[in-house]
Amino acid sequence: MWIKPQEVLLANALWATDRANPFFVLQRRKGYGGGGLTGLLVGTLDTVLDNKTRPYRILHQAESSELSYCVAEANNKKEIQQHWDWLENNVINTCAAFETEDEATEFIKCKIESILANVEPPKEEDEEVEDLRTSTKKFRKYFNMPKEEKLVNHYSCSYWKGNIPRQGWMYLSVNHMCFYSFLMGREAKLILRWADITKLERGNNMLLPDSVKVSTRDADHFFSMLLHSKETFDLMEQLANMAMKQLMQEPGFQEDKTLAAKLKSAKKRKKMSVLKRDLDAKARSERFRIAFRLPAVEKLDGDEECKLWTPYNKQHVWGRLYLSPGYMCFASRVKDLVTLIIPLREVTVVEKVDNSASGNLINRAIVVTIKNKTNFTFSEFSDRNLILEKVSDFLSKQQPALLSLFSHTEGVELSPKKEAQEAAKLSVWELHLAEYGRGMCMYRTHNTQELVLKGIPDSLRGEMWMVFSGALNEMATHPNYYAEIVRQSAGHASIATDEIERDLHRSLPEHPAFQNDKGIGALRRVLTAYAWRNPNIGYCQAMNIVTSVLLLYVSEEEAFWLLTAICERLLPDYYNTKVVGALIDQGVFEDLILEYLPSLHDKLETLGLLSMISLAWFLTIFLSVMPFNCAVNILDCFFYDGARVIFQVSLSILDLRRSLAGQGSYAQRGEREHVFFAGEKLPELTRSHGWLSWFNQSVDVAEVILSSYQKFWSISNQDINKLRLKHRLKVVQTIEDSVKRNILRSVAQFTKFEGKELEDLYFLFKEEYLTSCYWRTHQHVDTPDKFDPSRPYYDQYKLDFDQFRTLFLSLSPWATGQHAATLALRTFRLLDENRDNLINFKEFVSALGVMCKEDVTARVKLMYQLHLPPALLPSDPTDPDEISTATTSDSPKSEGRVDPRPLQVEMVSILESPSTEGRKLGEECGGNTVDTDREESTGDDVAQSPRLTGAAQFIQMWRSLYDLFTDSVEEQDLYHSIATVGTLLLQIGEVGKRFRHNTDTSSASGGLSPLREAQLEGQGQVERVSPAAEATVVEDRGRKPDADWSVSFEQLLASMLTESPLVDFFERIYDTTDAVASLRNRRLVSRMQSASPDKS
């Protein structure tokens, strides 16, 4: 491209001259196309510094001057050559006519500038887009990634390979973390899946400044010299966390399609990829939702610093206003000074105002009026019109609110003393609500928090829970939702409903509300409705205890939305099958004990109790482990301040317990009682509160709560979320390791693979499954809950045909010859028992184990089954030319690639069963299950096998056998043996046909007799049979094959056992370790032609 002439002082530094004339020089940057030490140094320098200098340029250089001017640059030789030719044809002759060099220089500069004046100027974002496009191309080129893999960002860093640092670039994509370095002609590459990472740590010391440690099951990887270490580490944590959620069958990364349009209208943009902006926006939105207890669908649209007028103390409070499609939220600069949440569904008017009712002047203000006529005044906006525009746009999309559908259950009768305390508490709360507002739009201040710590009155508890938890927002924006799913779930039986029925009468059985059908029925409907809403969670023990307490204070619909808020926002992942969230918080709790109670941590760690001490506390929010009237006060604080309350109260209880134990209060009690209550089961805990029963007698729970806020005030929900990211990796990978052990144990009886070899196959199979989740979004992916107890362990990961074909062609010893892809298809059909076009790990290793490890009988039987229905369908091509056309381009050796393209052949339909003939033969064969029994097949089993009928099936099998022997050392011996066995079997089939029919029907049928076909086969078996000769053998066009001819499996086996080369071949043991390693590392194979890969 032409550029505005730029001065160049050192024309030959790092550049080599390719062409020259009296006025111009065409130069190439060293390290591009040239060898030598200088080229290596320059190439290394450009790679390390990520130099954007184009490799070709043209300089105007006068003979008497050392100053040059760069007039053109290009990324390739073709483009720069076009510029060079234009200069020689249109400029050089004119320059020669000038008397002085200065005149020629001025002419050239004016000529180039005139060309540029006629060129359309580049768009503003071109530089950013070009930089991202270049980085993405490098990422895909270096690591052989498909276009579906989205690059998020890349950073300069050093990777420690042994004791040697390799300076290069870290590439962070949605599913992978990669590193590339090119130093002195040698490459270093690393590819890690986020799903394989077990731990991320950030460090900073003299040896490894600004470093990050990435741990996997196999090794630890160290990266240092990160220029933006915090940004890099936060992004790595976010991507790893998304991968862990995806492993737990939760939604992974989903790109925000609306972000690109928003960026175009933005006035200022940072230079980063759209995906990086998207991830940053998701992180900000998540923090926004957590801070204000908002529904999961809310996205932060923007925020603006402003002042809020607080009428209760007549002050303007500085803070920040946050806007989302459904809410306006305000948080003060001073933490917890005042918080305000205004649902836009409650807003009636938003208008500008420039002075207050009291006469005080306010600048750039807006007044928000809600349905109860309350006004909220915000001022000192930097761009008031933008705020008004956004709010007006959001207001046009709101839905009406919803009234409660069901009545409240009756509460607990109180003693006169309790009633007096409750009345006094209620009076204080009524005064507070009158001054600070009521409902979602109330001002939330320090006074509000102090009242919550002392407990909410029973008559207001349900209302305040709905407001503080944000459940009121969910209910108001989903009218009639609960009633509808109650109707839909009625009468449907499942594992969840069975568990619910079992636990209904264990939920607060001492409370009168749950000693009759009214309370039990309400509890049943709420739990069943939520199991219907969220089948990935369904029902978990402890949900019944929490829900029963909720029903005492709110209606059924409100209890449903409170349960939804707890399970999906406040305590995420707590109540799934593996209680992942609760296990993660146990790790978080351990870290907090170590930080705040180090001496107690050491004692508990010595006793081995850290991992089990408080699981029941967290799962039931203390409802099952302390008196009911104490636990609901903790629940008040939990809905107001979120999950941090559980950690604060737990630490306070341990601290108080330690203090009491130190005073000797429990010296006379047995050691067993000091093992707290973690070993007890939840149903037992509902009847016996254990050692926490002393709350009701000697300790005021309000004092414990207040103490927890005073001693552990520094714990915030943001800190807990960061610790959750840290421990999620460990917990999820521990669960994955447990899943792996269960899967390997469950498939061990079905395959000959064992030990490390079986484990490597599992990891490869799992990686292929995850690949389908990453990139094949348009194809069917198996997505049911992977922890569904009704599914066998090995059924949790499944592959489609394309993925199976990749593994088959890379691992199977039978994947040889030109028809290997066809054999892969038939193997897939045989394994796909339920006709869903997916196979599980057991089916995969059972078939591969037969091919690699089993005896000759099992292998021959598998080959025999692969040429009968349902593996071989009547619609399959039989002509060799047709098969060759369909498979030649997909050979595993095609283009030297491991991953073949999908084979365009007929699959078994999911909706349609195989043909009647195929189904009948399959039933005779006992289904399509591969026989992998360790014992030899009996005569009865063999006799029940179907027979190969007609010459077509027989010759298809013989063609497959020929392919097996391709490139074998004993190739000619095997060909001779198979020819002998084939001739013998054809004669046996002919004799059997004559015996059954007692007449010779071969001439009457008008077709080739199997005996004649045997002779034709035999003539071509001693030498290599060409495809044309095979075509003649398979079918003489215009004639029908003989369908009355057949042979049985026992005849095939007996005939093959007479040939020792065949027996030796089918008893050969194959090890898949090297093939698995090669396939797993296939993306590390370099495609760069100018450099050799690093073998060190």
Side-chain angles (χ1 to χ4, degrees):
M1 60 179 291
W2 300 108
I3 64 173
K4 184 177 180 180
Q6 300 174 353
E7 294 182 355
V8 178
L9 292 176
L10 299 176
N12 296 320
L14 306 180
W15 293 86
T17 301
D18 282 354
R19 301 185 65 178
N21 58 43
F23 296 96
F24 298 100
V25 177
L26 190 156
Q27 293 185 330
R28 169 183 43 83
R29 191 168 178 84
K30 294 179 180 179
Y32 290 85
L37 179 60
T38 305
L40 288 176
L41 289 173
V42 175
T44 299
L45 185 64
D46 288 346
T47 302
V48 170
L49 300 179
D50 196 26
N51 199 322
K52 301 296 190 302
T53 303
R54 291 181 173 89
Y56 296 95
R57 71 180 182 180
I58 296 176
L59 300 181
H60 164 60
Q61 188 172 21
E63 293 182 1
S64 60
S65 174
E66 295 182 357
L67 188 64
S68 302
Y69 293 90
C70 182
V71 297
E73 294 178 343
N75 289 318
N76 55 74
K77 193 170 184 178
K78 181 179 178 181
E79 182 182 357
I80 203 69
Q81 187 64 42
Q82 291 175 351
H83 292 337
W84 179 264
D85 294 340
W86 187 88
L87 290 172
E88 286 189 331
N89 296 331
N90 300 280
V91 178
I92 290 181
N93 292 333
T94 306
C95 292
F98 289 104
E99 295 181 357
T100 64
E101 293 179 350
D102 292 340
E103 292 177 350
T105 300
E106 288 300 322
F107 169 75
I108 293 172
K109 292 168 64 176
C110 291
K111 189 69 174 177
I112 299 301
E113 289 176 356
S114 67
I115 294 175
L116 292 174
N118 295 322
V119 177
E120 183 179 354
K123 297 180 180 179
E124 181 182 353
E125 68 272 15
D126 277 356
E127 180 182 354
E128 178 184 350
V129 173
E130 181 65 25
D131 181 62
L132 176 62
R133 186 182 296 114
T134 302
S135 301
T136 303
K137 286 181 178 179
K138 289 181 180 180
F139 170 68
R140 293 175 182 168
K141 175 183 177 181
Y142 294 156
F143 306 106
N144 196 15
M145 292 291 179
K147 64 181 181 180
E148 291 83 4
E149 181 68 3
K150 304 294 185 181
L151 178 65
V152 179
N153 213 346
H154 66 293
Y155 301 92
S156 174
C157 68
S158 292
Y159 171 58
W160 288 79
K161 195 173 184 180
N163 295 323
I164 302 175
R166 302 295 298 263
Q167 184 67 29
W169 290 86
M170 176 193 294
Y171 293 85
L172 304 181
S173 68
V174 174
N175 302 301
H176 296 85
M177 170 188 174
C178 306
F179 176 83
Y180 178 82
S181 173
F182 180 80
L183 296 176
M184 303 303 294
R186 298 176 69 85
E187 286 183 321
K189 292 184 180 181
L190 176 70
I191 300 179
L192 299 175
R193 291 175 184 260
W194 293 117
D196 294 334
I197 293 176
T198 59
K199 191 175 184 180
L200 288 172
E201 290 182 285
R202 182 183 173 198
N204 192 0
N205 51 55
M206 293 294 293
L207 180 62
L208 297 175
D210 293 320
S211 62
V212 173
K213 177 183 176 183
V214 181
S215 301
T216 65
R217 294 180 179 86
D218 302 324
D220 294 331
H221 305 275
F222 295 90
F223 301 87
S224 63
M225 301 295 290
L226 286 159
L227 298 180
H228 307 282
S229 59
K230 184 180 185 305
E231 176 188 337
T232 307
F233 186 77
D234 289 345
L235 180 57
M236 293 170 69
E237 272 196 328
Q238 189 177 5
L239 293 169
N241 186 52
M242 290 194 309
M244 296 304 105
K245 290 184 176 181
Q246 195 171 31
L247 283 177
M248 295 294 101
Q249 296 294 330
E250 297 179 25
F253 174 76
Q254 296 177 350
E255 188 174 356
D256 187 356
K257 302 298 184 182
T258 64
L259 186 60
K262 296 177 182 178
L263 292 177
K264 290 182 180 179
S265 61
K267 296 181 178 179
K268 297 182 180 180
R269 299 193 305 272
K270 296 181 180 179
K271 289 190 175 182
M272 64 176 68
S273 69
V274 176
L275 285 180
K276 179 64 168 61
R277 291 191 183 97
D278 193 1
L279 289 170
D280 289 346
K282 290 179 185 295
R284 289 194 299 270
S285 294
E286 185 175 0
R287 292 193 294 268
F288 167 67
R289 290 191 297 266
I290 291 174
F292 297 103
R293 313 284 192 277
L294 299 181
V297 296
E298 289 299 314
K299 296 180 181 179
L300 179 63
D301 190 73
D303 57 277
E304 182 82 17
E305 195 167 65
C306 65
K307 288 182 178 179
L308 170 66
W309 170 254
T310 52
Y312 52 86
N313 60 2
K314 305 297 188 294
Q315 291 182 356
H316 291 281
V317 179
W318 273 106
R320 188 166 287 273
L321 179 69
Y322 300 87
L323 293 178
S324 73
Y327 299 87
M328 297 177 63
C329 303
F330 178 87
S332 59
R333 283 181 182 176
V334 179
K335 185 179 179 182
D336 296 331
L337 180 61
V338 59
T339 304
L340 180 65
I341 301 174
I342 306 176
L344 293 182
R345 64 179 181 273
E346 298 290 332
V347 175
T348 57
V349 178
V350 179
E351 55 188 352
K352 297 180 182 179
V353 64
D354 291 318
N355 52 64
S356 65
S358 61
N360 295 328
L361 294 179
I362 53 178
N363 298 320
R364 301 182 300 278
I366 63 173
V367 173
V368 179
T369 304
I370 62 175
K371 293 177 181 178
N372 64 3
K373 307 304 180 182
T374 302
N375 295 329
F376 301 94
T377 304
F378 302 91
S379 60
E380 302 297 340
F381 288 105
S382 61
D383 192 343
R384 179 174 60 176
N385 292 332
L386 179 62
I387 298 296
L388 282 173
E389 180 182 343
K390 288 182 176 293
V391 173
S392 300
D393 181 55
F394 293 151
L395 285 175
S396 64
K397 304 174 183 178
Q398 298 306 310
Q399 295 180 351
L402 172 70
L403 296 177
S404 179
L405 299 176
F406 300 93
S407 60
H408 291 264
T409 54
E410 296 182 0
V412 185
E413 294 184 2
L414 302 176
S415 63
K417 180 179 178 181
K418 291 289 185 181
E419 286 183 354
Q421 293 176 348
E422 193 71 14
K425 189 187 299 182
L426 178 61
S427 176
V428 174
W429 268 90
E430 291 290 357
L431 291 174
H432 178 83
L433 295 178
E435 183 176 3
Y436 291 87
R438 193 163 188 166
M440 286 302 303
C441 301
M442 66 184 297
Y443 294 97
R444 307 180 193 198
T445 66
H446 284 303
N447 292 338
T448 310
Q449 187 181 57
E450 290 176 3
L451 289 180
V452 171
L453 295 185
K454 297 176 181 178
I456 303 174
D458 287 346
S459 59
L460 296 177
R461 180 165 276 138
E463 177 188 348
M464 294 296 102
W465 284 359
M466 292 292 292
V467 170
F468 295 148
S469 67
L472 184 61
N473 296 321
E474 295 273 14
M475 189 177 73
T477 53
H478 294 81
N480 299 323
Y481 180 85
Y482 175 71
E484 180 63 21
I485 63 171
V486 167
R487 183 188 63 79
Q488 293 177 2
S489 61
H492 289 272
S494 64
I495 296 177
T497 57
D498 293 342
E499 294 178 346
I500 290 171
E501 290 297 328
R502 186 185 63 207
D503 289 343
L504 283 176
H505 295 280
R506 304 179 183 179
S507 309
L508 296 184
E510 69 278 3
H511 199 285
F514 297 99
Q515 295 174 358
N516 56 66
D517 293 338
K518 184 178 180 181
I520 294 295
L523 180 60
R524 178 188 293 111
R525 286 189 294 272
V526 173
L527 293 175
T528 305
Y530 186 77
W532 183 268
R533 165 189 167 88
N534 193 342
N536 285 337
I537 292 179
Y539 171 77
C540 175
Q541 193 180 42
M543 289 173 65
N544 61 317
I545 299 173
V546 175
T547 307
S548 60
V549 174
L550 298 179
L551 283 169
L552 296 177
Y553 298 99
V554 296
S555 69
E556 275 188 42
E557 184 182 20
E558 291 170 334
F560 169 81
W561 288 114
L562 279 172
L563 181 64
T564 299
I566 292 172
C567 295
E568 299 177 11
R569 289 191 289 107
L570 298 176
L571 297 177
D573 301 329
Y574 260 55
Y575 300 103
N576 57 26
T577 310
K578 294 292 183 181
V579 292
V580 177
L583 294 177
I584 292 171
D585 280 357
Q586 296 307 294
V588 174
F589 190 45
E590 289 182 25
D591 285 357
L592 295 177
I593 295 176
L594 178 62
E595 180 178 356
Y596 292 97
L597 304 172
S599 59
L600 181 61
H601 177 276
D602 296 338
K603 295 178 181 178
L604 294 175
E605 189 174 34
T606 302
L607 294 173
L609 298 177
L610 279 175
S611 61
M612 55 184 291
I613 186 173
S614 57
L615 183 60
W617 299 0
F618 285 74
L619 279 174
T620 63
I621 321 176
F622 297 98
L623 292 171
S624 66
V625 294
M626 66 171 59
F628 170 77
N629 60 328
C630 299
V632 290
N633 281 21
I634 297 177
L635 208 56
D636 296 339
C637 300
F638 168 73
F639 283 128
Y640 185 82
D641 267 332
R644 73 171 185 145
V645 171
I646 302 179
F647 293 95
Q648 291 178 172
V649 172
S650 298
L651 288 172
S652 184
I653 291 173
L654 290 180
D655 189 33
L656 181 60
R657 178 77 177 205
R658 181 190 59 174
S659 301
L660 293 175
Q663 296 172 6
S665 301
Y666 296 91
Q668 304 301 323
R669 301 195 178 187
E671 182 180 356
R672 173 180 170 81
E673 187 174 357
H674 289 273
V675 186
F676 304 139
F677 56 85
E680 301 179 66
K681 297 182 179 179
L682 293 181
E684 298 173 355
L685 290 173
T686 61
R687 297 187 294 270
S688 176
H689 300 302
W691 68 278
L692 289 182
S693 59
W694 47 269
F695 265 102
N696 199 31
Q697 299 158 3
S698 57
V699 179
D700 185 357
V701 68
E703 295 179 2
V704 175
I705 295 173
L706 182 61
S707 173
S708 71
Y709 273 81
Q710 291 173 343
K711 293 183 178 180
F712 310 110
W713 60 269
S714 59
I715 300 175
S716 67
N717 287 317
Q718 288 75 16
D719 296 334
I720 291 171
N721 285 331
K722 289 189 68 67
L723 289 173
R724 281 174 173 171
L725 289 178
K726 169 186 173 183
H727 287 278
R728 184 182 294 275
L729 293 174
K730 177 181 177 181
V731 170
V732 173
Q733 294 295 5
T734 300
I735 293 175
E736 287 296 302
D737 289 341
S738 176
V739 170
K740 179 199 71 175
R741 290 191 295 270
N742 291 331
I743 291 177
L744 297 184
R745 190 183 305 116
S746 64
V747 303
Q749 58 181 317
F750 300 106
T751 182
K752 285 279 190 177
F753 291 115
E754 56 186 13
K756 184 68 164 55
E757 190 173 9
L758 181 61
E759 184 176 337
D760 289 342
L761 287 171
Y762 165 78
F763 283 125
L764 178 61
F765 192 89
K766 177 183 173 183
E767 287 175 4
E768 288 299 320
Y769 165 80
L770 292 176
T771 299
S772 70
C773 299
Y774 294 163
W775 301 326
R776 301 189 181 193
T777 55
H778 63 286
Q779 296 188 11
H780 174 74
V781 178
D782 188 33
T783 57
D785 182 11
K786 66 187 296 184
F787 297 117
D788 185 350
S790 64
R791 300 177 65 190
Y793 289 115
Y794 51 75
D795 207 34
Q796 294 174 11
Y797 302 120
K798 289 187 175 183
L799 302 185
D800 61 15
F801 171 65
D802 293 336
Q803 297 166 300
F804 170 79
R805 183 170 175 269
T806 300
L807 299 184
F808 181 91
L809 295 181
S810 303
L811 304 179
S812 173
W814 291 7
T816 58
Q818 61 179 338
H819 304 310
T822 303
L823 194 63
L825 172 64
R826 292 172 183 167
T827 306
F828 185 86
R829 288 173 177 167
L830 182 67
L831 297 176
D832 186 16
E833 298 181 16
N834 57 2
R835 297 293 181 267
D836 62 350
N837 284 342
L838 296 168
I839 64 166
N840 58 39
F841 183 63
K842 186 204 84 171
E843 294 165 341
F844 170 72
V845 294
S846 64
L848 188 62
V850 171
M851 298 175 188
C852 297
K853 306 287 186 181
E854 283 287 359
D855 57 20
V856 61
T857 303
R859 297 192 198 187
V860 173
K861 185 172 183 180
L862 176 58
M863 178 62 70
Y864 184 81
Q865 291 175 326
L866 292 177
H867 295 84
L868 296 172
L872 179 65
L873 299 180
S875 58
D876 284 351
T878 57
D879 188 279
D881 294 333
E882 298 178 18
I883 299 175
S884 179
T885 302
T887 59
T888 300
S889 62
D890 301 314
S891 171
K893 297 182 181 180
S894 176
E895 300 179 0
R897 296 192 60 180
V898 181
D899 190 7
R901 301 291 299 171
L903 180 64
Q904 300 300 321
V905 289
E906 179 184 354
M907 292 293 295
V908 179
S909 172
I910 297 177
L911 301 177
E912 299 178 2
S913 60
S915 62
T916 305
E917 177 186 2
R919 183 165 55 248
K920 180 178 179 181
L921 289 173
E923 292 171 356
E924 291 177 3
C925 190
N928 58 337
T929 306
V930 178
D931 182 11
T932 57
D933 292 340
R934 301 298 176 88
E935 300 179 359
E936 295 184 359
S937 301
T938 63
D940 294 337
D941 296 333
V942 174
Q944 294 176 359
S945 300
R947 301 172 69 87
L948 278 175
T949 58
Q953 291 182 356
F954 177 79
I955 297 178
Q956 289 281 358
M957 184 174 72
W958 239 242
R959 183 179 290 112
S960 299
L961 289 173
Y962 269 92
D963 279 350
L964 292 188
F965 308 147
T966 302
D967 299 331
S968 176
V969 178
E970 304 87 5
E971 183 177 7
Q972 291 303 318
D973 292 339
L974 291 169
Y975 284 149
H976 187 278
S977 297
I978 204 65
T980 303
V981 172
T983 302
L984 178 60
L985 286 173
L986 289 168
Q987 293 173 348
I988 291 174
E990 187 76 14
V991 172
K993 185 183 72 171
R994 291 176 180 178
F995 177 78
R996 286 190 300 273
H997 295 282
N998 202 21
T999 57
D1000 187 5
T1001 61
S1002 60
S1003 59
S1005 65
L1008 290 174
S1009 69
L1011 183 58
R1012 175 58 181 159
E1013 294 181 9
Q1015 294 172 355
L1016 291 175
E1017 289 283 349
Q1019 293 173 4
Q1021 308 259 341
V1022 178
E1023 299 179 358
R1024 292 294 299 268
V1025 180
S1026 66
E1030 286 190 10
T1032 305
V1033 174
V1034 174
E1035 183 178 354
D1036 187 1
R1037 296 187 184 276
R1039 301 182 181 182
K1040 298 168 58 178
D1042 189 353
D1044 294 332
W1045 179 92
S1046 66
V1047 293
S1048 66
F1049 169 70
E1050 60 183 354
Q1051 293 169 339
L1052 171 65
L1053 179 61
S1055 301
M1056 295 188 72
L1057 291 177
T1058 61
E1059 295 291 329
S1060 58
L1062 293 177
V1063 175
D1064 294 341
F1065 179 84
F1066 280 106
E1067 287 190 340
R1068 189 175 301 161
I1069 303 299
Y1070 297 91
D1071 189 278
T1072 62
T1073 303
D1074 293 339
V1076 169
S1078 175
L1079 187 59
R1080 292 185 68 187
N1081 296 326
R1082 64 190 182 276
R1083 301 201 181 280
L1084 290 175
V1085 177
S1086 175
R1087 289 188 172 186
M1088 296 183 64
Q1089 302 298 326
S1090 61
S1092 59
D1094 185 4
K1095 300 293 183 183
S1096 60

